[in-house]
Every structure is written in structure tokens, then in C-alpha cells.
Amino acid sequence: MTQDISFINKTKQLIDSLKSVCANYGLGNDGNEFKIITQVVLYKFLNDKFRYEVKKEEPQLAQAENFREALENMEEEAYNFLLASLNPNVPRLKPHQLISALHNRQNEGDFSKTFDDTLRQVSLENAEVFSVKSFSGAKDSLFDELSQFISDSSQRDAFSKALINKLFEFSFEEMFGQKYDFFATIFEYLIKDYNSDSGGKYAEYYTPHAVARIMASIMAPEPVKKARCYDPSAGSGTLLMSLAHQIGEDNCSIYSEDISQKSSNMLRLNLILNNLTHSIPNIIKTNTIAQPYYLNTKFDYIVSNPPFKLDFSDFKDDLEKDIFKERFFAGVPNVPKAKKESMAIYLMFIQHIMYSLSDTGKAAIVVPTGFITAQSGIEKKIRERLIDKGWLRGVVSMPSNIFASTGTNVSVIFLDKQADTDQIVLMDASKLGQTIKEGKNQRTVLTKEEEARIIDTFNQKEAIEDLSVVVSKEQVQEKNYSFSAGQYFEVKIEYVDISEEEFQEKLGGFEERLEGLFASGENLDREIMGNLKKLKFG
């Protein structure tokens, strides 16, 4: 645990130092700061991952006094053989592309060009594994020419040197030798400034780790192998990472789609951090609803925290064509006359997820809590389909403000193509959690014990007073397809045993109070009538 905390703190210090470099050169809170920080961290991880894997493959290199020089002194044939022996998902670097090589060359003239050229070479030579594809199949570049973000060309060399010096001071190599749970903490810290207006708006509601863990633990309580895991609105990949940790990184492949290039780049870094590099080629930047890359692919596990409000009026008409009717069986939401951005696009994602499940597929989807009780419209049609086909495993309604960035109450619906229709679990966890303050926002945080209680109660299909009910498909149909646990809780009346004397005494007290109220009422009536008679015109 001490070592874990040490690495967390050192990594946070690295991120802070890189932000400080950006600020010192006029890029603090600049729109390009995000690119610089994330790309430099990506380069650092590629560098250290390469060093770590090479040392494992060639122990004598690990013992060398100077790793880079030992690598440079290898014969070309031996070096190429070494590269060929590495796992395909390990980055390939040449000795002069290492951070230590750049650190040694920083006093050469035109260093910023050397820095940019090195990143460009690394990008081209590792594009096959580490590049993110778009819907058209085009691959992105791993790195921009980072020094070019400095408008004053005379400062570019100094800026590039400052970045390299920060990267040279710390190594992640020890982290690759063990599986740590703090990657999520590092990642959240890395993007925290980009989830606020001050850091350039980062377009996603960051899914709390507690919610992600609950979803993963309920979806995959038993060991599985060769699972295909998918998120159609992946963002930075929080839900996918929790699911992969639950299943085991070696037992699953990750697939994702997201319209944001920024999110796709963050997900790529997250996959590297979490030993899931083999899934990077499956990251697709696209509009999942209008141009789904994986339309004809079926998945074993699907997780999603879809956007609740997003304007898709530009391509709404195309969605209503015949080709989409099977996927969007319940329909396409109408365009509101005002506030087009409030369109309920999440309803499209739910239908897309249902369409994308394999015959034994399971899914967990974050929805506005209003979805589970809506009495008509697309919401009702979706709920009817889930119940009538026997796909609903259960629902957990979360506490208010569990998302710090939105006040919308949310629930998680769990789908399973092989669900037990006689034991559907509906849970109201809204009273759980502790309220804390994060900046200007208040947020509800679940304790570890509460997380475990939700997971165990759901997986064991327990009915607990004021928390959960276990109902059948027929009971849900009788309740007009409501998924709200509260509508199934028993109404309990407290009975108290009293003697006949106590009963007569209470009854007498009631009669006495009533007589007093009646008398007061008669007096008030006479007073009002008297006042009315005194009224005169003019």
C-alpha cells in the first residue's frame, strides 16, 4: 500500500510539473495544454513500457550501467531479433528515440526540431498498434508537433527541453511489473482540470468509480474467457476499465465508439495504463448513432453512460429511414421546439445496445431515473420490449448527486438475454451514501460497505425492506411496466395493542376536541354574519 501511494504521488507530481511548464510558456489553461499533457504522458509510457519489456527479454540489458548505450552497441541483426521477440502490443523504439537520448542532446542546436522529429518517427513506426481509427478507417497521428504550440519560435527549444527534463526525472517501469488499482486515480487526476470550464470543457460526465465498479461486479460475478466488451459512448473508458479489471485483462477484448477525438485519445492512454494495449485497434472515432462502425458485430458485455442531452437534429431524418427501423424499434425522439440540446438521445443508445447484444449478451446502462416510470412514449415501448422478451435482470436507482457534474437522478438498468424472468431485482439505493463537497458542487459518495451491499443484494437476489424487491415478469406487467422498486414495496401499517379503558379514554379525548372545534366554528360563523350585516354601500 505504501508503494502504491508513493507511485500515485510521484505520478501526480509529474502531471503537475508538466502543467507548470505549459503555464511558464503561456499555455496554462490554453486549449492546446490538454494535447501537450496527454501526448507527453503517452510518450513517457511508450518509452518506459519499451524499456521494461526489453529488460525482461534480455536480462543483460537490465544489468547494463547505461541501458541506452548498451542498446546502441547491439549489432543490427541482434537488435532486430530482439524487437521481433517482443509481444506485438509492445511499442518499438530505436535507441535515439528514448527520452534519455533526447535528454543528452538537449544542448544541440534546433532542439525543438529534434524533439518533434523524434515524436513523428515514433508515431509512424507504431501506428499499426497504437493509432486510433475513424469510421472511414483513417488512423490518427499519435503526436502533434508539440513545440509548434509555442507562438514565439525563440522559446521553442527551451519549452521542449523543459518537457524532456520533467520526463527524465521519473520512471514508470516498476509499475508495469505489478497490477495496481491506482491507475484510475492517476487517470482521474490527469483529466480533472479538463472537466471544468477553466481547463477547456471536456465533453463527458465522468462516471464515478463506485458506479463503474457496481456495474462491472453485477454484470460479471463469475469467471469468463474471451469476452467481447463494448461501450458505444466510451468517453475516456471508465466503465470499460472497471469491466476489464473484473473479467481480467487477458480474458477480454475492448471495443469502443465515441464521436470525440479527445475522448478517443484519452481512452487510448487508459488502455495502455491498464494493460489493454491489444485493444487499441478496436477504438473507433465515429458517430455511433448515425455511423456505427460495429453495426454488424454482437457483444458479450456492453456498458454505457450515454449522453442524456445532445442535439442530433442534423441527422434525425436519416435515422427514421427503413434501414434503421430494426435497430430503433421504439422510434426516434422528437425535436423540441426550444433547447434542441435537450433531445433524449440516450433512448437511441439504449435501442442500439439492445440491437448489439449477442444471444447470451449482458448490458448495464446508466439512464435518467425518469426513464424507469415514464407512462408513455419511447421509454414505455423500450421497457415493454425488455420485459416481454425476458431481458431485464434488474434496476438499481442511485443516490441523488452521485454525479457531481449533473443534478439528474440516475438509475442503472441491467439487461441479460438469459435473465430469470421470475426473479427480477429492483433496488432503491437512493438513501445510501454520504454527501461531500467538491468545489462548487455537492456529490454523494458511496462507502465500500455500501457498494458491497448493493452488489451482494443484487447478485443474491435478496428482498430487503426499503431497499430491494424481487418480482416476476408478470408483476411488472401488472404495474404498467414500472421498473421503480418503490412501487413494489409493501405499505405497512403499525398496530399497537391497547386496553378497552385506554381506547375509551382516547375516544373521549377525540370527542372533547371535536366539540370544542365545533363550538369555535359556530362562534366564528356568528361573527362573520354580524360583520356582513354591518356592511353598507358607499
Side-chain angles (χ1 to χ4, degrees):
M1 177 60 71
T2 302
Q3 191 178 27
D4 290 14
I5 295 172
S6 173
F7 275 124
I8 289 173
N9 291 336
K10 287 180 180 179
T11 306
K12 288 181 177 180
Q13 289 170 11
L14 171 63
I15 294 167
D16 287 341
S17 66
L18 292 172
K19 289 181 179 179
S20 177
V21 170
C22 290
N24 290 338
Y25 287 88
L27 295 173
N29 292 330
D30 181 271
N32 293 316
E33 182 191 31
F34 175 89
K35 291 183 179 180
I36 295 167
I37 300 296
T38 53
Q39 290 185 26
V40 166
V41 170
L42 174 60
Y43 174 46
K44 175 64 175 170
F45 268 84
L46 294 180
N47 178 93
D48 290 1
K49 183 68 172 175
F50 173 76
R51 290 171 56 100
Y52 171 76
E53 295 293 342
V54 165
K55 289 177 181 179
K56 274 204 315 181
E57 194 67 31
E58 293 287 342
Q60 69 270 22
L61 289 174
Q63 303 301 321
E65 186 174 340
N66 187 310
F67 172 81
R68 178 183 54 78
E69 288 183 359
L71 209 60
E72 287 176 339
N73 292 332
M74 290 183 68
E75 294 184 2
E76 183 177 356
E77 184 178 350
Y79 182 75
N80 290 334
F81 181 81
L82 172 63
L83 292 184
S85 65
L86 297 175
N87 184 291
N89 297 311
V90 174
R92 266 60 174 171
L93 301 181
K94 295 182 174 63
H96 71 272
Q97 296 168 341
L98 296 174
I99 290 172
S100 58
L102 289 178
H103 183 262
N104 283 353
R105 298 180 61 186
Q106 62 181 298
N107 292 324
E108 295 179 4
D110 208 4
F111 180 73
S112 61
K113 184 178 186 304
T114 301
F115 178 61
D116 289 337
D117 287 348
T118 300
L119 293 184
R120 186 185 306 108
Q121 291 167 8
V122 172
S123 179
L124 291 172
E125 293 165 10
N126 291 275
E128 189 63 31
V129 173
F130 292 92
S131 285
V132 172
K133 290 187 295 187
S134 67
F135 176 80
S136 65
K139 292 187 174 183
D140 75 338
S141 174
L142 293 181
F143 305 108
D144 294 302
E145 294 186 354
L146 298 183
S147 72
Q148 302 305 304
F149 292 125
I150 303 296
S151 55
D152 184 350
S153 59
S154 67
Q155 291 189 318
R156 290 173 183 168
D157 283 356
F159 173 69
S160 301
K161 292 177 186 179
L163 292 177
I164 285 296
N165 285 329
K166 297 301 182 186
L167 298 182
F168 184 75
E169 293 170 359
F170 172 61
S171 174
F172 290 112
E173 288 183 57
E174 292 180 59
M175 299 167 72
F176 296 119
Q178 303 178 52
K179 178 180 175 181
Y180 290 107
D181 291 332
F182 62 72
F183 281 132
T185 304
I186 294 172
F187 189 76
E188 187 173 10
Y189 188 79
L190 178 63
I191 71 168
K192 68 182 178 64
D193 287 345
Y194 307 103
N195 271 321
S196 63
D197 292 331
S198 63
K201 195 69 173 177
Y202 185 61
E204 75 164 336
Y205 287 140
Y206 192 82
T207 308
H209 297 304
V211 175
R213 286 191 294 265
I214 289 168
M215 292 168 69
S217 298
I218 288 176
M219 286 184 73
E222 304 294 336
V224 297
K225 290 188 178 295
K226 296 183 179 179
R228 296 162 70 90
C229 304
Y230 171 60
D231 188 337
S233 55
S236 56
T238 303
L239 293 177
L240 285 171
M241 296 308 101
S242 287
L243 182 58
H245 289 325
Q246 176 69 18
I247 292 173
E249 292 84 354
D250 294 334
N251 296 327
C252 66
S253 294
I254 298 298
Y255 297 80
S256 74
E257 295 176 278
D258 198 286
I259 198 170
S260 167
Q261 181 67 52
K262 184 182 290 186
S263 294
S264 298
N265 289 338
M266 295 299 287
L267 176 54
R268 168 171 52 200
L269 181 56
N270 217 350
L271 290 173
I272 296 171
L273 286 171
N274 287 278
N275 199 31
L276 288 158
T277 302
H278 60 275
S279 290
I280 290 177
N282 303 331
I283 303 173
I284 305 297
K285 177 194 168 294
T286 189
N287 182 329
T288 307
I289 300 303
Q291 293 181 308
Y293 186 86
Y294 293 117
L295 181 62
N296 298 316
T297 306
K298 303 300 180 183
F299 297 97
D300 304 306
Y301 295 90
I302 303 178
V303 287
S304 181
N305 175 17
F308 291 174
K309 299 176 181 181
L310 192 68
D311 180 7
F312 61 95
S313 56
D314 289 344
F315 55 90
K316 178 180 181 295
D317 292 341
D318 292 335
L319 299 178
E320 294 176 328
K321 294 178 180 177
D322 291 346
I323 190 173
F324 292 107
K325 284 186 177 177
E326 183 181 355
R327 186 163 56 127
F328 301 128
F329 66 91
V332 179
N334 293 322
V335 179
K337 293 180 180 179
K339 293 186 177 180
K340 289 184 179 180
E341 70 279 2
S342 67
M343 297 174 74
I345 193 171
Y346 78 94
L347 296 171
M348 311 299 292
F349 277 95
I350 297 175
Q351 295 177 81
H352 173 78
I353 289 167
M354 293 169 65
Y355 181 83
S356 302
L357 281 172
S358 68
D359 291 339
T360 58
K362 299 174 176 62
I365 314 166
V366 179
V367 299
T369 294
F371 166 82
I372 68 177
T373 56
Q375 295 298 298
S376 60
I378 296 173
E379 296 92 333
K380 178 78 175 300
K381 290 179 182 178
I382 293 173
R383 296 204 316 272
E384 289 173 346
R385 174 71 66 94
L386 291 175
I387 291 298
D388 295 345
K389 281 187 169 288
W391 292 3
L392 182 70
R393 185 177 166 204
V395 177
V396 176
S397 294
M398 292 291 176
S400 299
N401 297 321
I402 195 142
F403 286 74
S405 52
T406 173
T408 304
N409 290 336
V410 302
S411 297
V412 181
I413 60 173
F414 292 89
L415 315 185
D416 185 342
K417 284 282 195 78
Q418 298 180 318
D420 181 352
T421 57
D422 289 327
Q423 291 186 300
I424 300 168
V425 181
L426 303 179
M427 187 180 303
D428 181 3
S430 62
K431 297 182 180 66
L432 302 181
Q434 302 171 354
T435 301
I436 64 172
K437 192 167 184 180
E438 290 187 348
K440 298 178 181 178
N441 299 316
Q442 282 194 331
R443 178 179 173 187
T444 302
V445 177
L446 294 168
T447 65
K448 291 291 185 183
E449 292 74 20
E450 289 171 325
E451 281 184 47
R453 187 183 183 197
I454 291 171
I455 294 165
D456 293 343
T457 299
F458 196 104
N459 284 337
Q460 294 170 18
K461 299 179 180 179
E462 288 186 281
I464 297 178
E465 185 176 343
D466 293 331
L467 178 65
S468 62
V469 292
V470 180
V471 298
S472 67
K473 168 182 174 178
E474 290 73 24
Q475 286 176 291
V476 177
Q477 290 170 331
E478 290 170 4
K479 287 283 189 180
N480 200 26
Y481 295 90
S482 171
F483 292 177
S484 173
Q487 295 193 19
Y488 299 83
F489 289 153
E490 290 184 18
V491 177
K492 297 191 175 182
I493 302 174
E494 296 289 338
Y495 292 95
V496 179
D497 289 332
I498 59 175
S499 65
E500 183 176 351
E501 291 77 11
E502 290 174 324
F503 174 76
Q504 293 298 338
E505 183 179 348
K506 286 182 178 291
L507 188 61
F510 292 146
E511 291 174 351
E512 185 177 339
R513 284 195 292 276
L514 279 173
E515 287 174 358
L517 290 172
F518 291 153
S520 297
E522 290 175 0
N523 291 333
L524 183 61
D525 290 342
R526 285 194 292 270
E527 185 177 344
I528 293 172
M529 186 63 69
N531 289 333
L532 287 173
K533 290 180 178 179
K534 293 177 182 178
L535 292 176
K536 295 182 180 179
F537 181 76

